[in-house]
Amino acid sequence: MSAVKTRYRIDGMDCASCAAKIDTAVRRVTGVADVSVSVTAGTMTVEHDGADLVILEKRVSGLGYGIFALPLTGKTAPAPAAPAHAHHDHDHPHDHAHDACCGHHHDHHHAHGHEHHDHGHGPSHAAPAKAPVAVATAVEGHDHTHLPGEGPWWQSGKARLTLVCGAALVAAYAAGHFVPRLDPWIFIAALLIGLVPVARRAVMAALSGTPFSIEMLMTIAAVGAVIIGAVEEAAAVVFLFLVGELLEGVAAGRARDSIRSLTSLVPKTARLIEGGTTREVSAESLTIGAVILVRPGERIPCDGEVLEGTGAVNEAPVTGESVPVAKLPGDRVYAGTVNFESALTIRATTEPSDNTIARVVRLVEEAQESKAPTERFIDRFSRWYTPLIVALAALVAIVPPLVFGAGWDEWIYKGLAILLIGCPCALVISTPAAIAAGLASGARRGLLIKGGAVLEVLRTVNAVAFDKTGTLTAGKPEVTDLIAFAGDEAALIARAAALEAGSTHPLASAILGEAAARGLAIPPVQNAGAVNGEGVAGMVEGAALFLGSPRAASTRISLSPPQQAAIATLNDAGKTVAVLLADGVVAGLIAMRDEPRADAAAGLAALKAAGIRTVMLTGDNERAARAIGGDLGIEVRAGLMPADKQRIVGELQHEGLIVAKVGDGINDAPALAAANVGIAMGGGTDVALETADAAVLHGRVGDVAAMIGLSRATMRNIHENITLALGLKALFLVTTIAGITGLWPAILADTGATVLVTANALRLLGRK
């Protein structure tokens, strides 16, 4: 049996410690080959070969997390069998004491009755053997608000547990003031409200292979504090622990929502044109080929192609582009963008589950599951770090009393504080939080980076090799020069457009586009047709016209020296020249060229300013390539086959350069694969999203520099986070041993550092 992948949404997973416990527990299930867990996305992908998924799901739910199967490709996945009672249509809270680092307590509100979705219950701790996990068959990358545990944070079981524990602590202080003799017992009762769920998770984590969890450290510290008589402080520490974890959950939820918020850009309904009538339907019901009407001011509900209508589309919600983009029939539009001016008729080109936004969300979430080298190092380090902290705490508690005769209570107290200081949560989350924020920040701006490893390598790139056609240039010719020898420019382009009417050749499209841009009326043509592959001919307004290359024209008439000189000048500029003959006389010249993208020069300048070498690798002829390269100020290597591009990338690497290759993802595939980072340039096509390590979805050359800049900012953020996490721990370790701080500051040092690290990482979401 070949290995298969199953993807899950994990509810209640708010930090890297949670992910580590889940990873360890799932890997122990027979048949599991690999596990990838993403904290920020709240997902887990399991690669397995005949594993019992029911056992796997019970392992996760036993740790206190909700687990819900999701499709891998955006389509509805087969669901595990659900119990008979799992199909009732009602709302019911499942009160889970979830783990998420601290005995998280979650309330799952299942909103059943959603159209096209299976309905099931979340895991029940009361009867785990009879309550398999619910299956969410919603489209991955679409609205997830119906999933359990995703309501406002203040409605969660974790928030209620924190409030109840806090209220019990206040009540204990009040009762202790009026009835002092009950003092220790009422604080023990307040302590148990928060500690029991934590201790339960600690035991389950230990049985699943994670003995040194934060829950275990917290349980040992609280029990130890009770034993030495610090009952009041132990109760307060448990409450502060829950508060810190609640804040951590809110921060993690914000990072998670930053990715999923993209899905809210897609409208829920669409106006379907069918049989000459228009009716409103669910956007999720659209199929490829469906024709829809989008009125001015409305969001476009699908990826598609404009059939009728012209006007500007505001792509800022998706791309960040401040200027609306003009759209003509045949142009592509993307789900979530806003029709700005006039009504457009659009044909859907993708399924709703596979539009650009859905794929970006899905691929970013999957990318977060692949760990960067720094993250893998931190994970390995934390496996040794926590046991060492436990050993250090034990030595601090035992050695001074045994060797130097110090007081047992004092040094046991310090040892317990060190246990709390030593929690690795802040350190472990420092890297994945920054990487997740960096990936999400890029995705919101059309910069798709497939994983933390790619994001980390981008920081070191010091050479970028660009393809020409479709990468540095727009990929379609435009009319650049009109030279009329008889009549004016308008008559010249109108006559040429008459001959090319109905043709789909790129040069014909350029001529027709120029005529349309000038608002010219195209005269009728008679007897139009191709002439031996040399050009096109026909009768227009009584004149016999021929439009073709200079070589074809020169076989019909003799070109004058000034005409030949003009053609040579245009060719030297990398332009293709068409000659229009009218009744055997040269009427004029039309020059066309695949022009550089509007931001190409600025994008290349930004790379050079960052100290990055740029080079153009193209299969185009030397003259055309040199002309474009001269305009853009880039090193040019022309006349290349795909294997040549791959070879040159290798040569740059042998020079010690870290190379990124930017191309269309098809004919540049060998070079993309050979480069340290392959970047596909495109408008959200399947090739652009799937063939390279990263993709510039909106075709801006400047986005390559932005992608490298984002990588560098992310790595700076990671270094700041690691320094912050270790620095706070070192500071409180010293002050605790010196007797300056105790249990309260220790727990604040742990949860506070985690919150600070996460908040620092979230700054990347606001990066421009």
Side-chain angles (χ1 to χ4, degrees), residues 458-486:
L458 276 167
R459 172 181 62 97
T460 65
V461 165
N462 50 21
V464 180
F466 288 91
D467 183 32
K468 181 180 82 70
T469 305
T471 299
L472 291 174
T473 66
K476 56 182 180 180
E478 298 176 2
V479 173
T480 58
D481 300 270
L482 293 172
I483 301 176
F485 296 117

Side-chain angles (χ1 to χ4, degrees), residues 82-90 92 94 112 119-122 124 127 130-132:
H85 69 272
H87 296 281
H88 296 169
D89 193 23
H90 59 283
H92 55 286
H94 289 280
H112 295 296
H119 315 295
H121 293 266
S124 170
K130 297 182 181 180

Side-chain angles (χ1 to χ4, degrees), residues 393-419:
L395 291 174
V396 168
I398 295 172
V399 171
L402 286 180
V403 177
F404 304 107
W408 280 98
D409 285 0
E410 176 190 354
W411 286 94
I412 288 176
Y413 180 89
K414 291 180 179 180
L416 296 175
I418 290 173
L419 275 183

